[in-house]
Amino acid sequence: MVKFFLDSANLEEIEESVSWGVISGITTNPTLIAKESGMSFEPMVKQICALLGNNPVSVEVLGTDTDSMVNEARLLSAVASNLVVKIPMGIEGLKAVYRLNQGKKKIACNVTLVFSVNQALLAARAGAAYVSPFVGRLDDISWDGVGLVREMAGVFKIHGIKTEIISASIRHPRHVHEVAAAGSDIVTVPFSVLRQMANHPLTDLGVERFLRDWERSRESEEM
Ligand code: G3P
């Protein structure tokens, strides 16, 4: 069944959405972490990981060469057992993913900023546990974000690739069901989109009408 992650570093949003029983993980990125000014980085990451139990929390490295990515990844993964290291796509990133998957203590990687099937195939081959195609950013340049996810999921299926697809850069609820229909394993959504997914004006209207009809029937019984 398709899983939903929250794309956020905001503790209130995380706590609230986890309480809905629909969130199976968190993704963050440097932009989202920078928005949460009140807290320093490591305590924030620790707290997010604790709120998620055993579910994965992706945190991105900032290094741009393989050695610094690998060193950062090792430090980050020591923060919590459910921490997944987010590595930007590219040759340096692929080498880092490969190295982090060697030896006894493998570190789960989420390869981010993926915009083509070939990038996803390379990331999977290097050992990525997850790949993150950016749906909205492709749509922004008049490309087809959902189409990319569909193609990627199709190729992964043909080849029995176990790397999970996390559709990211989700801008609206329509993206969510479209990438789910396209075969995405996971969709990571901003809190505003998660809330929009749960709501519908006809649901609100329906509840209002049921309550009004109930009250009316009670009033007429009392008369
Ligand atoms: O977490 C990465 C991704 O979801 C970013 O989304 O809206 O900045 O393209 P956006």
Side-chain angles (χ1 to χ4, degrees), residues 2-203:
V2 66
K3 288 178 273 188
F4 303 116
F5 285 9
L6 192 74
D7 200 22
S8 173
N10 182 283
L11 290 170
E12 279 169 29
E13 289 179 356
I14 293 171
E15 214 165 345
E16 172 62 18
S17 63
V18 165
S19 79
W20 298 5
V22 297
I23 292 300
S24 308
I26 298 289
T27 52
T28 68
N29 61 38
T31 308
L32 293 171
I33 292 200
K35 269 203 232 162
E36 306 305 313
S37 48
M39 215 171 173
S40 47
F41 177 69
E42 200 176 311
M44 186 198 296
V45 170
K46 264 196 182 141
Q47 222 169 311
I48 296 174
C49 289
L51 286 172
L52 265 289
N54 290 324
N55 285 324
V57 174
S58 290
V59 181
E60 193 158 336
V61 295
L62 295 168
T64 51
D65 62 277
T66 305
D67 284 342
S68 42
M69 288 181 195
V70 168
N71 291 338
E72 261 184 82
R74 294 207 166 113
L75 290 173
L76 279 173
S77 79
V79 171
S81 57
N82 55 337
L83 194 140
V84 170
V85 176
K86 224 174 173 186
I87 306 269
M89 181 58 205
I91 292 166
E92 293 299 300
L94 288 175
K95 290 196 273 187
V97 172
Y98 177 60
R99 267 172 50 189
L100 292 165
N101 277 277
Q102 302 304 300
K104 262 191 250 153
K105 208 188 163 303
K106 299 187 191 343
I107 293 175
C109 298
N110 170 2
V111 174
T112 188
L113 291 163
V114 169
F115 293 97
S116 74
V117 177
N118 282 337
Q119 287 184 320
L121 284 171
L122 288 173
R125 179 49 83 185
Y130 306 96
V131 286
S132 294
F134 275 31
V135 175
R137 291 195 198 181
L138 268 179
D139 287 359
D140 289 346
I141 57 159
S142 300
W143 212 253
D144 179 6
V146 175
L148 170 66
V149 172
R150 185 175 303 111
E151 233 185 317
M152 199 179 280
V155 175
F156 276 23
K157 195 168 178 196
I158 290 169
H159 294 281
I161 295 169
K162 298 278 176 272
T163 302
E164 290 188 281
I165 299 172
I166 306 180
S167 294
S169 184
I170 295 296
R171 300 282 161 74
H172 48 73
R174 197 173 172 86
H175 267 157
V176 181
H177 72 77
E178 284 181 349
V179 294
S184 193
D185 301 287
I186 300 160
V187 193
T188 188
V189 292
F191 187 65
S192 56
V193 174
L194 186 70
R195 214 178 11 219
Q196 283 178 294
M197 285 166 68
N199 291 330
H200 196 285
L202 289 178
T203 307

